[in-house]
Amino acid sequence: MNESDIFEVVETEQIPGAKFEVVQYKSLKGSDNLYVAEKVFFANKADIHLKMIRVTLERSEILIEPGALYFMKGDLQLKSDIQQGLSKGLMRKFTTGETLFQSRIKGSGEVYLEPTFGHYSLFNIEEDGLIVDKGAFYCASADLEVTAKMQGNVSSALFGGEGLFQTQIKGTGVVVLVSPVPTAELLIYQLKSGEKLSVDGSFAFARTASVEFRAEKSGKSFLQSATSGEGLLQTFTGPGMVWIAPTEEVYKRLGAFNTSMYPVTR
């Protein structure tokens, strides 16, 4: 059976020497375990697909999270090192949750990363870098640099809901991020210089580095903020782009409801 009979490509980004694809199984055929077969049946009915990242290299190189490799085919070499040296690697690990070591795959061939029922988003970075949620980085073309970015002001660090550091991706190339929701559910806003986007929650997924982020009161005073029921808002000021995931909080509430109704037992 050909791969095209099993997989379908749902998203693609390409640069010279590397093509990044999100591929998904058209359907899962089941299991000899009845419990697993039941889960597979409902996953198929709910249109939930098992996905993988496939990267096709032509005398090129990619950077992946250690442990993400599933299998690869072709003239390819795998090695691990500490990106940007030990000090920067330690800073990235302890401030953003990214790993100390990064794996690199170099050569020509096809690389498949571990399958998941989760979601991926592909970004082609050309000029302005990206600032993303901690732990969102999954893999990238080798010319990109993954570092820790300290929040630019006290309000965003203490009250913004994102912590003191986030992950910054700089350079030119393609990066694959683990998305909290399907890519089709991400809203993208292109902000003009000085234009604001205010979010009541922590569901802003990514922004270009030119966008300023801070936590602001929803009203002119703390009293107004308290009486409005909104409190502090995540505020993004252009110019630049912001990706938000409005359905993320809904899925979290549904997951919490399911856990309370049907507690997990060991």
PDB file of all heavy atoms in Angstrom, residues 170-204:
ATOM      1  N   LYS A 170      14.257  33.054  16.212  1.00  0.00           N
ATOM      2  CA  LYS A 170      14.809  34.096  15.343  1.00  0.00           C
ATOM      3  C   LYS A 170      15.493  33.470  14.134  1.00  0.00           C
ATOM      4  O   LYS A 170      15.978  32.342  14.190  1.00  0.00           O
ATOM      5  CB  LYS A 170      15.819  34.949  16.116  1.00  0.00           C
ATOM      6  CG  LYS A 170      15.234  35.687  17.308  1.00  0.00           C
ATOM      7  CD  LYS A 170      16.251  36.612  17.954  1.00  0.00           C
ATOM      8  CE  LYS A 170      17.393  35.839  18.599  1.00  0.00           C
ATOM      9  NZ  LYS A 170      18.327  36.735  19.305  1.00  0.00           N
ATOM     10  N   GLY A 171      15.558  34.251  13.047  1.00  0.00           N
ATOM     11  CA  GLY A 171      16.240  33.802  11.850  1.00  0.00           C
ATOM     12  C   GLY A 171      15.288  33.710  10.681  1.00  0.00           C
ATOM     13  O   GLY A 171      14.207  34.308  10.670  1.00  0.00           O
ATOM     14  N   THR A 172      15.694  32.950   9.660  1.00  0.00           N
ATOM     15  CA  THR A 172      14.891  32.751   8.459  1.00  0.00           C
ATOM     16  C   THR A 172      14.705  31.262   8.224  1.00  0.00           C
ATOM     17  O   THR A 172      15.687  30.514   8.166  1.00  0.00           O
ATOM     18  CB  THR A 172      15.567  33.389   7.230  1.00  0.00           C
ATOM     19  OG1 THR A 172      15.741  34.794   7.459  1.00  0.00           O
ATOM     20  CG2 THR A 172      14.723  33.186   5.986  1.00  0.00           C
ATOM     21  N   GLY A 173      13.453  30.836   8.101  1.00  0.00           N
ATOM     22  CA  GLY A 173      13.189  29.425   7.871  1.00  0.00           C
ATOM     23  C   GLY A 173      11.805  29.029   8.339  1.00  0.00           C
ATOM     24  O   GLY A 173      10.938  29.874   8.575  1.00  0.00           O
ATOM     25  N   VAL A 174      11.587  27.723   8.499  1.00  0.00           N
ATOM     26  CA  VAL A 174      10.290  27.175   8.903  1.00  0.00           C
ATOM     27  C   VAL A 174      10.399  26.588  10.301  1.00  0.00           C
ATOM     28  O   VAL A 174      11.370  25.888  10.613  1.00  0.00           O
ATOM     29  CB  VAL A 174       9.815  26.089   7.916  1.00  0.00           C
ATOM     30  CG1 VAL A 174       8.528  25.415   8.419  1.00  0.00           C
ATOM     31  CG2 VAL A 174       9.586  26.679   6.530  1.00  0.00           C
ATOM     32  N   VAL A 175       9.411  26.881  11.135  1.00  0.00           N
ATOM     33  CA  VAL A 175       9.348  26.295  12.466  1.00  0.00           C
ATOM     34  C   VAL A 175       8.009  25.591  12.620  1.00  0.00           C
ATOM     35  O   VAL A 175       6.976  26.052  12.114  1.00  0.00           O
ATOM     36  CB  VAL A 175       9.534  27.354  13.582  1.00  0.00           C
ATOM     37  CG1 VAL A 175       8.439  28.409  13.538  1.00  0.00           C
ATOM     38  CG2 VAL A 175       9.573  26.695  14.950  1.00  0.00           C
ATOM     39  N   VAL A 176       8.036  24.452  13.308  1.00  0.00           N
ATOM     40  CA  VAL A 176       6.824  23.695  13.622  1.00  0.00           C
ATOM     41  C   VAL A 176       6.551  23.856  15.111  1.00  0.00           C
ATOM     42  O   VAL A 176       7.424  23.567  15.939  1.00  0.00           O
ATOM     43  CB  VAL A 176       6.976  22.202  13.278  1.00  0.00           C
ATOM     44  CG1 VAL A 176       5.694  21.442  13.620  1.00  0.00           C
ATOM     45  CG2 VAL A 176       7.322  22.024  11.806  1.00  0.00           C
ATOM     46  N   LEU A 177       5.348  24.315  15.443  1.00  0.00           N
ATOM     47  CA  LEU A 177       4.957  24.506  16.832  1.00  0.00           C
ATOM     48  C   LEU A 177       3.834  23.547  17.196  1.00  0.00           C
ATOM     49  O   LEU A 177       2.983  23.226  16.359  1.00  0.00           O
ATOM     50  CB  LEU A 177       4.482  25.940  17.060  1.00  0.00           C
ATOM     51  CG  LEU A 177       5.476  27.064  16.753  1.00  0.00           C
ATOM     52  CD1 LEU A 177       4.826  28.418  17.009  1.00  0.00           C
ATOM     53  CD2 LEU A 177       6.753  26.915  17.581  1.00  0.00           C
ATOM     54  N   VAL A 178       3.844  23.105  18.449  1.00  0.00           N
ATOM     55  CA  VAL A 178       2.732  22.327  18.979  1.00  0.00           C
ATOM     56  C   VAL A 178       1.623  23.311  19.322  1.00  0.00           C
ATOM     57  O   VAL A 178       1.794  24.201  20.157  1.00  0.00           O
ATOM     58  CB  VAL A 178       3.148  21.534  20.228  1.00  0.00           C
ATOM     59  CG1 VAL A 178       1.960  20.768  20.802  1.00  0.00           C
ATOM     60  CG2 VAL A 178       4.287  20.584  19.907  1.00  0.00           C
ATOM     61  N   SER A 179       0.489  23.177  18.654  1.00  0.00           N
ATOM     62  CA  SER A 179      -0.616  24.120  18.826  1.00  0.00           C
ATOM     63  C   SER A 179      -1.640  23.575  19.817  1.00  0.00           C
ATOM     64  O   SER A 179      -1.898  22.368  19.839  1.00  0.00           O
ATOM     65  CB  SER A 179      -1.296  24.377  17.476  1.00  0.00           C
ATOM     66  OG  SER A 179      -2.443  25.185  17.632  1.00  0.00           O
ATOM     67  N   PRO A 180      -2.242  24.442  20.633  1.00  0.00           N
ATOM     68  CA  PRO A 180      -3.248  23.967  21.588  1.00  0.00           C
ATOM     69  C   PRO A 180      -4.570  23.609  20.934  1.00  0.00           C
ATOM     70  O   PRO A 180      -5.411  22.940  21.539  1.00  0.00           O
ATOM     71  CB  PRO A 180      -3.414  25.172  22.537  1.00  0.00           C
ATOM     72  CG  PRO A 180      -3.060  26.357  21.703  1.00  0.00           C
ATOM     73  CD  PRO A 180      -1.980  25.886  20.775  1.00  0.00           C
ATOM     74  N   VAL A 181      -4.790  24.064  19.700  1.00  0.00           N
ATOM     75  CA  VAL A 181      -6.040  23.807  18.975  1.00  0.00           C
ATOM     76  C   VAL A 181      -5.696  23.531  17.514  1.00  0.00           C
ATOM     77  O   VAL A 181      -4.575  23.803  17.069  1.00  0.00           O
ATOM     78  CB  VAL A 181      -7.000  25.019  19.069  1.00  0.00           C
ATOM     79  CG1 VAL A 181      -7.335  25.334  20.514  1.00  0.00           C
ATOM     80  CG2 VAL A 181      -6.409  26.247  18.379  1.00  0.00           C
ATOM     81  N   PRO A 182      -6.633  22.998  16.730  1.00  0.00           N
ATOM     82  CA  PRO A 182      -6.374  22.843  15.295  1.00  0.00           C
ATOM     83  C   PRO A 182      -6.024  24.178  14.647  1.00  0.00           C
ATOM     84  O   PRO A 182      -6.545  25.228  15.033  1.00  0.00           O
ATOM     85  CB  PRO A 182      -7.713  22.294  14.761  1.00  0.00           C
ATOM     86  CG  PRO A 182      -8.367  21.646  15.932  1.00  0.00           C
ATOM     87  CD  PRO A 182      -7.955  22.462  17.122  1.00  0.00           C
ATOM     88  N   THR A 183      -5.145  24.133  13.662  1.00  0.00           N
ATOM     89  CA  THR A 183      -4.715  25.354  12.985  1.00  0.00           C
ATOM     90  C   THR A 183      -5.892  26.146  12.428  1.00  0.00           C
ATOM     91  O   THR A 183      -5.900  27.381  12.444  1.00  0.00           O
ATOM     92  CB  THR A 183      -3.731  25.006  11.849  1.00  0.00           C
ATOM     93  OG1 THR A 183      -2.576  24.373  12.405  1.00  0.00           O
ATOM     94  CG2 THR A 183      -3.284  26.243  11.102  1.00  0.00           C
ATOM     95  N   ALA A 184      -6.925  25.438  11.966  1.00  0.00           N
ATOM     96  CA  ALA A 184      -8.094  26.104  11.395  1.00  0.00           C
ATOM     97  C   ALA A 184      -8.841  26.938  12.430  1.00  0.00           C
ATOM     98  O   ALA A 184      -9.646  27.806  12.060  1.00  0.00           O
ATOM     99  CB  ALA A 184      -9.039  25.072  10.788  1.00  0.00           C
ATOM    100  N   GLU A 185      -8.604  26.695  13.725  1.00  0.00           N
ATOM    101  CA  GLU A 185      -9.299  27.436  14.778  1.00  0.00           C
ATOM    102  C   GLU A 185      -8.468  28.597  15.323  1.00  0.00           C
ATOM    103  O   GLU A 185      -8.939  29.335  16.194  1.00  0.00           O
ATOM    104  CB  GLU A 185      -9.700  26.491  15.914  1.00  0.00           C
ATOM    105  CG  GLU A 185     -10.730  25.454  15.479  1.00  0.00           C
ATOM    106  CD  GLU A 185     -11.127  24.511  16.591  1.00  0.00           C
ATOM    107  OE1 GLU A 185     -10.726  24.733  17.758  1.00  0.00           O
ATOM    108  OE2 GLU A 185     -11.842  23.531  16.304  1.00  0.00           O
ATOM    109  N   LEU A 186      -7.238  28.766  14.836  1.00  0.00           N
ATOM    110  CA  LEU A 186      -6.431  29.915  15.229  1.00  0.00           C
ATOM    111  C   LEU A 186      -6.904  31.165  14.490  1.00  0.00           C
ATOM    112  O   LEU A 186      -7.135  31.130  13.274  1.00  0.00           O
ATOM    113  CB  LEU A 186      -4.950  29.672  14.905  1.00  0.00           C
ATOM    114  CG  LEU A 186      -4.220  28.603  15.727  1.00  0.00           C
ATOM    115  CD1 LEU A 186      -2.821  28.390  15.168  1.00  0.00           C
ATOM    116  CD2 LEU A 186      -4.148  28.995  17.198  1.00  0.00           C
ATOM    117  N   LEU A 187      -7.062  32.255  15.210  1.00  0.00           N
ATOM    118  CA  LEU A 187      -7.376  33.537  14.594  1.00  0.00           C
ATOM    119  C   LEU A 187      -6.095  34.353  14.473  1.00  0.00           C
ATOM    120  O   LEU A 187      -5.307  34.421  15.411  1.00  0.00           O
ATOM    121  CB  LEU A 187      -8.402  34.304  15.429  1.00  0.00           C
ATOM    122  CG  LEU A 187      -9.788  33.673  15.576  1.00  0.00           C
ATOM    123  CD1 LEU A 187     -10.689  34.580  16.408  1.00  0.00           C
ATOM    124  CD2 LEU A 187     -10.424  33.400  14.221  1.00  0.00           C
ATOM    125  N   ILE A 188      -5.890  34.962  13.322  1.00  0.00           N
ATOM    126  CA  ILE A 188      -4.677  35.730  13.051  1.00  0.00           C
ATOM    127  C   ILE A 188      -5.050  37.189  12.869  1.00  0.00           C
ATOM    128  O   ILE A 188      -5.900  37.525  12.028  1.00  0.00           O
ATOM    129  CB  ILE A 188      -3.963  35.214  11.792  1.00  0.00           C
ATOM    130  CG1 ILE A 188      -3.731  33.703  11.881  1.00  0.00           C
ATOM    131  CG2 ILE A 188      -2.644  35.939  11.590  1.00  0.00           C
ATOM    132  CD1 ILE A 188      -3.230  33.085  10.585  1.00  0.00           C
ATOM    133  N   TYR A 189      -4.405  38.066  13.648  1.00  0.00           N
ATOM    134  CA  TYR A 189      -4.674  39.494  13.550  1.00  0.00           C
ATOM    135  C   TYR A 189      -3.395  40.227  13.151  1.00  0.00           C
ATOM    136  O   TYR A 189      -2.354  40.063  13.775  1.00  0.00           O
ATOM    137  CB  TYR A 189      -5.192  40.042  14.880  1.00  0.00           C
ATOM    138  CG  TYR A 189      -6.592  39.561  15.207  1.00  0.00           C
ATOM    139  CD1 TYR A 189      -6.799  38.524  16.101  1.00  0.00           C
ATOM    140  CD2 TYR A 189      -7.698  40.138  14.596  1.00  0.00           C
ATOM    141  CE1 TYR A 189      -8.082  38.066  16.379  1.00  0.00           C
ATOM    142  CE2 TYR A 189      -8.982  39.695  14.863  1.00  0.00           C
ATOM    143  CZ  TYR A 189      -9.168  38.664  15.762  1.00  0.00           C
ATOM    144  OH  TYR A 189     -10.436  38.203  16.034  1.00  0.00           O
ATOM    145  N   GLN A 190      -3.496  41.006  12.095  1.00  0.00           N
ATOM    146  CA  GLN A 190      -2.415  41.879  11.646  1.00  0.00           C
ATOM    147  C   GLN A 190      -2.659  43.253  12.245  1.00  0.00           C
ATOM    148  O   GLN A 190      -3.578  43.971  11.833  1.00  0.00           O
ATOM    149  CB  GLN A 190      -2.378  41.952  10.128  1.00  0.00           C
ATOM    150  CG  GLN A 190      -1.325  42.899   9.574  1.00  0.00           C
ATOM    151  CD  GLN A 190       0.078  42.369   9.732  1.00  0.00           C
ATOM    152  OE1 GLN A 190       0.403  41.290   9.244  1.00  0.00           O
ATOM    153  NE2 GLN A 190       0.921  43.121  10.425  1.00  0.00           N
ATOM    154  N   LEU A 191      -1.858  43.629  13.242  1.00  0.00           N
ATOM    155  CA  LEU A 191      -2.053  44.889  13.944  1.00  0.00           C
ATOM    156  C   LEU A 191      -1.225  45.996  13.302  1.00  0.00           C
ATOM    157  O   LEU A 191      -0.041  45.807  12.994  1.00  0.00           O
ATOM    158  CB  LEU A 191      -1.652  44.743  15.412  1.00  0.00           C
ATOM    159  CG  LEU A 191      -2.382  43.669  16.228  1.00  0.00           C
ATOM    160  CD1 LEU A 191      -1.848  43.642  17.663  1.00  0.00           C
ATOM    161  CD2 LEU A 191      -3.886  43.903  16.224  1.00  0.00           C
ATOM    162  N   LYS A 192      -1.854  47.135  13.122  1.00  0.00           N
ATOM    163  CA  LYS A 192      -1.130  48.303  12.635  1.00  0.00           C
ATOM    164  C   LYS A 192      -0.327  48.919  13.784  1.00  0.00           C
ATOM    165  O   LYS A 192      -0.519  48.575  14.950  1.00  0.00           O
ATOM    166  CB  LYS A 192      -2.111  49.330  12.075  1.00  0.00           C
ATOM    167  CG  LYS A 192      -2.949  48.828  10.911  1.00  0.00           C
ATOM    168  CD  LYS A 192      -3.973  49.866  10.488  1.00  0.00           C
ATOM    169  CE  LYS A 192      -4.861  49.344   9.372  1.00  0.00           C
ATOM    170  NZ  LYS A 192      -5.913  50.324   8.999  1.00  0.00           N
ATOM    171  N   SER A 193       0.560  49.828  13.468  1.00  0.00           N
ATOM    172  CA  SER A 193       1.355  50.489  14.497  1.00  0.00           C
ATOM    173  C   SER A 193       0.434  51.195  15.494  1.00  0.00           C
ATOM    174  O   SER A 193      -0.405  52.011  15.109  1.00  0.00           O
ATOM    175  CB  SER A 193       2.309  51.505  13.859  1.00  0.00           C
ATOM    176  OG  SER A 193       3.083  52.148  14.846  1.00  0.00           O
ATOM    177  N   GLY A 194       0.564  50.852  16.778  1.00  0.00           N
ATOM    178  CA  GLY A 194      -0.260  51.450  17.819  1.00  0.00           C
ATOM    179  C   GLY A 194      -1.603  50.785  18.029  1.00  0.00           C
ATOM    180  O   GLY A 194      -2.281  51.062  19.027  1.00  0.00           O
ATOM    181  N   GLU A 195      -2.004  49.889  17.128  1.00  0.00           N
ATOM    182  CA  GLU A 195      -3.294  49.208  17.269  1.00  0.00           C
ATOM    183  C   GLU A 195      -3.194  48.133  18.353  1.00  0.00           C
ATOM    184  O   GLU A 195      -2.191  47.420  18.443  1.00  0.00           O
ATOM    185  CB  GLU A 195      -3.711  48.575  15.946  1.00  0.00           C
ATOM    186  CG  GLU A 195      -5.100  47.950  15.973  1.00  0.00           C
ATOM    187  CD  GLU A 195      -5.512  47.369  14.637  1.00  0.00           C
ATOM    188  OE1 GLU A 195      -4.641  47.280  13.733  1.00  0.00           O
ATOM    189  OE2 GLU A 195      -6.689  47.009  14.483  1.00  0.00           O
ATOM    190  N   LYS A 196      -4.254  47.999  19.172  1.00  0.00           N
ATOM    191  CA  LYS A 196      -4.220  47.078  20.308  1.00  0.00           C
ATOM    192  C   LYS A 196      -5.183  45.905  20.117  1.00  0.00           C
ATOM    193  O   LYS A 196      -6.253  46.042  19.533  1.00  0.00           O
ATOM    194  CB  LYS A 196      -4.579  47.813  21.599  1.00  0.00           C
ATOM    195  CG  LYS A 196      -3.507  48.752  22.115  1.00  0.00           C
ATOM    196  CD  LYS A 196      -3.881  49.306  23.489  1.00  0.00           C
ATOM    197  CE  LYS A 196      -2.765  50.179  24.055  1.00  0.00           C
ATOM    198  NZ  LYS A 196      -3.096  50.667  25.419  1.00  0.00           N
ATOM    199  N   LEU A 197      -4.773  44.774  20.669  1.00  0.00           N
ATOM    200  CA  LEU A 197      -5.620  43.587  20.799  1.00  0.00           C
ATOM    201  C   LEU A 197      -5.567  43.178  22.263  1.00  0.00           C
ATOM    202  O   LEU A 197      -4.484  42.933  22.802  1.00  0.00           O
ATOM    203  CB  LEU A 197      -5.115  42.449  19.911  1.00  0.00           C
ATOM    204  CG  LEU A 197      -5.776  41.085  20.117  1.00  0.00           C
ATOM    205  CD1 LEU A 197      -7.240  41.120  19.669  1.00  0.00           C
ATOM    206  CD2 LEU A 197      -5.013  39.998  19.354  1.00  0.00           C
ATOM    207  N   SER A 198      -6.723  43.133  22.941  1.00  0.00           N
ATOM    208  CA  SER A 198      -6.779  42.788  24.367  1.00  0.00           C
ATOM    209  C   SER A 198      -7.498  41.462  24.536  1.00  0.00           C
ATOM    210  O   SER A 198      -8.587  41.260  23.977  1.00  0.00           O
ATOM    211  CB  SER A 198      -7.496  43.882  25.158  1.00  0.00           C
ATOM    212  OG  SER A 198      -6.774  45.102  25.080  1.00  0.00           O
ATOM    213  N   VAL A 199      -6.902  40.579  25.328  1.00  0.00           N
ATOM    214  CA  VAL A 199      -7.400  39.218  25.494  1.00  0.00           C
ATOM    215  C   VAL A 199      -7.621  38.946  26.971  1.00  0.00           C
ATOM    216  O   VAL A 199      -6.722  39.158  27.792  1.00  0.00           O
ATOM    217  CB  VAL A 199      -6.399  38.190  24.907  1.00  0.00           C
ATOM    218  CG1 VAL A 199      -6.885  36.774  25.136  1.00  0.00           C
ATOM    219  CG2 VAL A 199      -6.183  38.445  23.419  1.00  0.00           C
ATOM    220  N   ASP A 200      -8.800  38.473  27.328  1.00  0.00           N
ATOM    221  CA  ASP A 200      -9.111  38.128  28.711  1.00  0.00           C
ATOM    222  C   ASP A 200      -8.839  36.647  28.923  1.00  0.00           C
ATOM    223  O   ASP A 200      -9.721  35.802  28.821  1.00  0.00           O
ATOM    224  CB  ASP A 200     -10.571  38.449  29.029  1.00  0.00           C
ATOM    225  CG  ASP A 200     -10.918  38.145  30.482  1.00  0.00           C
ATOM    226  OD1 ASP A 200      -9.991  38.033  31.299  1.00  0.00           O
ATOM    227  OD2 ASP A 200     -12.116  38.006  30.789  1.00  0.00           O
ATOM    228  N   GLY A 201      -7.583  36.298  29.171  1.00  0.00           N
ATOM    229  CA  GLY A 201      -7.178  34.903  29.327  1.00  0.00           C
ATOM    230  C   GLY A 201      -5.793  34.696  28.761  1.00  0.00           C
ATOM    231  O   GLY A 201      -5.156  35.627  28.269  1.00  0.00           O
ATOM    232  N   SER A 202      -5.336  33.445  28.805  1.00  0.00           N
ATOM    233  CA  SER A 202      -3.980  33.118  28.335  1.00  0.00           C
ATOM    234  C   SER A 202      -4.040  32.267  27.082  1.00  0.00           C
ATOM    235  O   SER A 202      -3.340  31.260  26.963  1.00  0.00           O
ATOM    236  CB  SER A 202      -3.205  32.393  29.445  1.00  0.00           C
ATOM    237  OG  SER A 202      -3.062  33.203  30.579  1.00  0.00           O
ATOM    238  N   PHE A 203      -4.889  32.664  26.135  1.00  0.00           N
ATOM    239  CA  PHE A 203      -5.007  31.859  24.915  1.00  0.00           C
ATOM    240  C   PHE A 203      -4.381  32.535  23.697  1.00  0.00           C
ATOM    241  O   PHE A 203      -4.669  32.150  22.564  1.00  0.00           O
ATOM    242  CB  PHE A 203      -6.467  31.476  24.639  1.00  0.00           C
ATOM    243  CG  PHE A 203      -7.437  32.617  24.615  1.00  0.00           C
ATOM    244  CD1 PHE A 203      -7.667  33.315  23.446  1.00  0.00           C
ATOM    245  CD2 PHE A 203      -8.139  32.969  25.755  1.00  0.00           C
ATOM    246  CE1 PHE A 203      -8.577  34.361  23.407  1.00  0.00           C
ATOM    247  CE2 PHE A 203      -9.052  34.015  25.737  1.00  0.00           C
ATOM    248  CZ  PHE A 203      -9.276  34.709  24.556  1.00  0.00           C
ATOM    249  N   ALA A 204      -3.540  33.555  23.909  1.00  0.00           N
ATOM    250  CA  ALA A 204      -2.721  34.085  22.810  1.00  0.00           C
ATOM    251  C   ALA A 204      -1.571  33.109  22.601  1.00  0.00           C
ATOM    252  O   ALA A 204      -0.791  32.840  23.510  1.00  0.00           O
ATOM    253  CB  ALA A 204      -2.208  35.465  23.144  1.00  0.00           C
TER     254      ALA A 204
END
